[in-house]
Amino acid sequence: MDTELKNELSRQGIFTTTLEEVYNWGRKSSVWPLTFGLACCAIEMIATTMARYDLARFGAEVFRPSPRQADLMIVAGTVTKKMAPQVVRLYNQMPEPKYVIAMGACAISGGPFKQGYNVLKGIDRYIPVDVHIPGCPPRPEALIDAFLTLQKKIDAQVLGGEGRPRYLDPDAPSEFTVPEYGAHDLEPAKNVKLWNIIYKNSSNGPNTTGEDGSGKD
């Protein structure tokens, strides 16, 4: 519908919408996070739900104890290689559509522990991340900003055709490989198919996509 006509009708008390707008409005206004935290970033996540910041204003006050009832995973803190398989398994148990916020430098890249042998250098090695929050640790305002960014992303999604979200693409994976403990590292060291999805339009050549699985750890 033409924008000018829509605005004119709204001034007359007639509100028009589409199924896509109602669908996206309902999803962005009822994002239920999964209840779990990994390190100090979880304290900031908890503070975001308290009275001073009140994440409930945005429809996300219902932290669910089960992944079956959640559609947002906030990876809040350092992901050790011992914990990574559990995080991926929880993500696989969440129903579609589902989203991930990587909160803090540790969840994004390993943070100050990046050179540690036991720390994963970013959770996006195994599961897709929708919003990254830099900082060590990020303040509650940063998490709220990330949540608003996620809401905008959901609101802009189309239900069909080009640009539709991953969960509406029949060829896109819904579950990802749970890494196993190897002799010296997690096996596989990264999810090759996932990295291809993220970097498939990269201009740096095929080596950055991980297509051959030979990228640096």
Side-chain angles (χ1 to χ4, degrees):
M1 178 180 289
D2 182 70
T3 304
E4 293 184 4
L5 176 58
K6 189 174 182 178
N7 293 337
E8 179 61 29
L9 289 174
S10 65
R11 284 193 289 268
Q12 301 297 326
I14 302 173
F15 295 94
T16 59
T17 187
T18 64
L19 177 61
E20 187 175 273
E21 289 176 348
V22 173
Y23 179 73
N24 289 340
W25 172 83
R27 290 191 303 114
K28 77 171 186 177
S29 302
S30 58
V31 178
W32 290 1
L34 179 61
T35 304
F36 88 106
L38 297 174
C40 45
C41 282
I43 303 300
E44 302 295 324
M45 180 182 70
I46 294 169
T48 309
T49 65
M50 298 295 102
R52 181 170 183 176
Y53 299 99
D54 194 14
L55 193 62
R57 294 175 293 161
F58 309 103
E61 74 276 15
V62 186
F63 274 72
R64 304 308 299 171
S66 167
R68 308 291 187 186
Q69 302 169 346
D71 48 15
L72 172 63
M73 173 179 282
I74 303 175
V75 183
T78 310
V79 184
T80 62
K81 293 180 180 179
K82 183 177 181 179
M83 184 60 67
Q86 282 62 253
V87 175
V88 178
R89 186 172 290 110
L90 286 173
Y91 177 84
N92 288 342
Q93 292 175 352
M94 293 169 60
E96 292 282 8
K98 52 190 174 184
Y99 308 95
V100 176
I101 293 177
M103 183 178 181
C106 292
I108 294 173
S109 64
F113 313 107
K114 182 178 177 66
Q115 302 303 325
Y117 70 92
N118 64 324
V119 174
L120 190 68
K121 298 174 180 62
I123 191 60
D124 57 358
R125 288 174 174 266
Y126 292 108
I127 59 177
V129 175
D130 296 280
V131 183
H132 295 80
I133 312 175
C136 186
R139 286 182 53 83
E141 294 93 338
L143 179 56
I144 291 176
D145 181 72
F147 191 83
L148 293 176
T149 301
L150 179 62
Q151 285 188 320
K152 292 177 182 177
K153 182 175 183 178
I154 295 173
D155 197 38
Q157 289 178 344
V158 295
L159 299 184
E162 293 293 332
R164 65 184 183 273
R166 176 184 52 80
Y167 71 92
L168 292 177
D169 184 355
D171 297 325
S174 175
E175 297 184 0
F176 296 93
T177 303
V178 177
E180 298 181 354
Y181 306 118
H184 303 288
D185 202 350
L186 291 175
E187 298 179 357
K190 60 175 176 266
N191 189 321
V192 176
K193 293 182 179 179
L194 174 62
W195 277 42
N196 284 339
I197 293 173
I198 295 176
Y199 298 115
K200 63 182 178 181
N201 294 324
S202 174
S203 60
N204 295 329
N207 290 336
T208 61
T209 66
E211 291 176 358
D212 56 359
S214 61
K216 282 189 176 181
D217 187 29

